[in-house]
Amino acid sequence: MPPPEFGAAFRESLRALFLWRRDVRRFRPDPVPEARIAALLELAGTAPSVGLSQPWRFVRVESPERRAAIRALFARSNAEALAGQAPERAALYARLKLEGLDRAPCQLALFCLPDPEQGHGLGRRTMPETLAYSAVMALHTLWLAARAEGLGLGWVSILEPEAVTAALDVPAAWRFIGYACLGWPEAESDRPELEAEGWERRRAVVCLRR
């Protein structure tokens, strides 16, 4: 089949998708239809991966007990992070809502296989970290696809990887990449929340010439 033509209108819509993709921290509790979740995960599987290894493994975290365990791990790590903040930023940090674990209807843990047979090692002998990069690409693909559906995704990174691996009872060799909260956002914005809260601001892309 001939390749599709991505015209000016599509490119403008794509740019809007990039600009309106947010790291969502506040969700409505409404459930996400199973068919939508399945379709999003299928799209995530189309992400580029080193050697076509597709090293990502998603885990749906559904049981109340495991969700409570993840929430407790976050609370512990977040308290440690707060204690490590500079005095002039501690109050601001404490005001930030850094996770959606309490209300997000869908929660996904993303892991990466350490040495998948698929791909036959192509492209990763000198840079084995490209496996983890590939898993991140899958998450980013899911993130954009979710935004196009009107859904929001939040990446919870304030978690200790080994503890998450144990709490979810997955193989110890799997590398934890990130924990994603997925659902319908309470509000929409084209501005990062951390920028609106005064934590940080966007800067221009750095591109050197050599």
Side-chain angles (χ1 to χ4, degrees):
M1 293 184 61
E5 295 185 8
F6 301 112
F10 174 86
R11 293 194 297 272
E12 186 58 33
S13 294
L14 181 62
R15 183 175 185 276
L17 176 63
F18 293 155
L19 293 176
W20 280 84
R21 183 218 51 82
R22 295 274 67 80
D23 187 359
V24 176
R25 306 171 189 282
R26 296 173 174 83
F27 296 89
R28 305 198 317 260
D30 316 47
V32 180
E34 284 294 319
R36 289 201 180 191
I37 297 174
L40 290 173
L41 289 173
E42 182 180 2
L43 281 174
T46 68
S49 61
V50 60
L52 197 56
S53 57
Q54 296 182 289
W56 44 77
R57 295 294 183 269
F58 286 93
V59 177
R60 291 274 301 274
V61 184
E62 298 179 326
S63 79
E65 295 78 14
R66 294 199 193 277
R67 286 195 176 192
I70 296 297
R71 184 68 176 81
L73 291 175
F74 169 83
R76 185 179 69 190
S77 295
N78 194 47
E80 293 172 355
L82 175 59
Q85 294 296 315
E88 65 274 12
R89 297 189 72 84
L92 176 56
Y93 182 93
R95 290 200 305 270
L96 299 174
K97 183 176 174 58
L98 296 171
E99 37 68 45
L101 296 169
D102 295 328
R103 301 190 72 188
C106 178
Q107 299 183 22
L108 298 161
L110 173 62
F111 294 86
C112 176
L113 298 183
D115 187 22
E117 181 179 347
Q118 183 174 332
H120 308 285
L122 179 65
R124 51 187 163 95
R125 184 182 67 82
T126 53
M127 293 185 65
E129 62 270 25
T130 51
L131 287 169
Y133 299 163
S134 299
V136 172
M137 290 295 292
L139 182 60
H140 188 242
T141 301
L142 173 67
W143 209 330
L144 291 174
R147 184 63 190 88
E149 292 271 354
L151 290 159
L153 187 145
W155 186 337
V156 183
S157 60
I158 306 175
L159 290 166
E160 201 277 317
E162 288 78 11
V164 173
T165 300
L168 298 183
D169 193 24
V170 300
W174 287 14
R175 179 180 178 184
F176 177 64
I177 300 297
Y179 196 92
C181 294
L182 179 68
W184 309 102
E186 282 188 351
E188 304 279 7
S189 176
D190 64 346
R191 187 183 183 195
E193 184 173 337
L194 293 180
E195 186 174 64
E197 293 286 348
W199 181 261
E200 190 51 276
R201 62 180 177 82
R202 282 199 186 278
R203 291 172 169 79
V205 172
V206 176
C207 181
L208 305 180
R209 294 192 179 192
R210 291 290 187 263

